[in-house]
Amino acid sequence: MTAYDVIVLAGGAAKRLGGADKPGVRVGGRALLDRVLAACAGAARTVVVGGRRATARPVVWTREVPEGGGPLAALGAGLRLTTAERVLVLSADLPFLGPGTVDALLAAAGETGREGALCTDPDGRDQPLVAAYRAEPLRRELALIATEHGSLAGLPLRLLTAELDLARVEAGPDAAFDCDTWDDIAAARARIREHGAVLDEWITSVKNELGIDLDVDTGVLLDLARDAAHGVARPAAPLTTFLVGYAAARASAGAGPEEAAAAVAEAARKATALALRWEAEAESSAGGDAAGGSTGGAKPDAGREGTGTP
């Protein structure tokens, strides 16, 4: 993928949120701005137009002139700090934007003859703040608009998009979902807790909180936890997965993300095999007891069940 820069618009008065700091509002334990930044982590340079705040990764800060001058003024301020041939333009309130949508926009913006690409929502409406633009025509049109109107302040984005040859990208119902009201925030917070999404959302939030850049097969770890709980004792599940993580960290100290992921998989494999051996022994003992103690060994102390003592 060709290198790109990104401009995130994080200003605005958030009037429908009662003036709350919208980019800092948390959904799934992460600030809205950080969720957007995670979707465009591959950018060569990230420019955020808005008030400075702590972010999950480094960014370049700037403000529109005048402050509160609207999206075109903010876009112009951010564009001055970019150098890539393609510029991703995003609002800071997109909780479900993902790298797949970013890639689709950049690819569509690179089509021959196109000057950019933007998302359309499920109702067919254009979303110019979920978009990728070629830098040269973007600079040209902003300069023409500023010359015609005296400045970019207070002007609507449609003055820009109407003059550009833009591809449309249908990204599904979530990618362009933005949070303008507290009802939108509540809907986003509820959506991440839905059955099909909650686990991935939680794992991503934990990795973000702990500063871990590691892709692991969560299915392997869940299977391990299940086998430990079933074959040993229920408290063995969280303790075993913790020990697997600790062992993997020791085995991959100083290694890259791929080696670390491999270390997790290997530690999980060993622990799973152990849990299955425990389960097999328990089943064997239970079968022998039912046959009148034919295993020839003493029965385990019932009072020690679940303590992890063989």
Side-chain angles (χ1 to χ4, degrees):
M1 180 65 68
T2 303
Y4 70 95
D5 292 338
V6 60
I7 302 169
V8 181
L9 276 57
K15 292 180 180 179
R16 285 187 282 177
L17 288 177
D21 175 26
K22 181 161 67 169
V25 171
R26 294 183 179 274
V27 172
R30 291 190 291 161
L32 284 172
L33 176 56
D34 282 337
R35 296 179 74 92
V36 172
L37 293 177
C40 54
R45 169 173 286 195
T46 300
V47 180
V48 180
V49 185
R52 289 177 177 267
R53 68 193 72 235
T55 53
R57 65 178 180 82
V59 303
V60 177
W61 294 96
T62 191
R63 291 304 302 258
E64 72 274 26
V65 179
E67 291 187 14
L72 270 188
L75 180 54
L79 191 60
R80 287 193 289 270
L81 299 177
T82 66
T83 59
E85 294 181 1
R86 296 178 208 175
V87 180
L88 190 69
V89 176
L90 304 170
S91 61
D93 61 349
L94 302 166
F96 304 117
L97 181 70
T101 300
V102 168
D103 291 344
L105 286 168
L106 292 168
E111 295 175 359
T112 302
R114 294 295 192 181
E115 294 175 315
L118 49 73
C119 273
T120 58
D121 67 18
D123 295 322
R125 292 186 296 260
D126 288 346
Q127 301 296 320
L129 296 183
V130 192
Y133 301 92
R134 288 185 179 271
E136 187 279 326
L138 184 59
R139 296 181 197 279
R140 179 195 70 220
E141 293 303 327
L142 286 176
L144 290 172
I145 293 171
T147 299
E148 181 180 353
H149 295 272
S151 77
L152 297 174
L155 299 177
L157 278 166
R158 66 176 178 271
L159 293 179
L160 172 68
T161 56
E163 300 299 326
L164 295 172
D165 183 354
L166 302 174
R168 267 63 181 177
V169 173
E170 296 181 7
D174 289 341
F177 181 93
D178 58 357
C179 294
D180 290 328
T181 68
W182 286 114
D183 284 343
D184 293 336
I185 296 292
R189 288 172 171 169
R191 190 173 301 184
I192 67 168
R193 291 180 176 273
E194 292 175 355
H195 177 70
V198 65
L199 185 59
D200 286 341
E201 286 283 352
W202 171 248
I203 294 300
T204 299
S205 295
V206 171
K207 290 195 294 186
N208 179 76
E209 193 73 15
L210 299 179
I212 298 172
D213 183 16
L214 178 65
D215 289 326
V216 296
D217 188 339
T218 55
V220 168
L221 295 179
L222 289 174
D223 287 345
L224 165 61
R226 179 203 62 208
D227 291 336
H230 181 72
V232 184
R234 294 190 67 173
L239 294 173
T240 304
T241 52
F242 164 77
L243 292 173
V244 163
Y246 181 76
R250 291 188 59 184
S252 62
E258 291 185 2
E259 291 82 358
V264 171
E266 176 61 13
R269 183 193 65 78
K270 292 180 177 178
T272 297
L274 177 62
L276 293 176
R277 291 199 299 271
W278 274 58
E279 181 180 9
E281 290 177 9
E283 291 175 350
S284 175
S285 296
D289 293 342
S294 62
T295 57
K299 293 184 179 180
D301 184 350
R304 297 165 70 91
E305 181 180 357
T307 64
T309 302

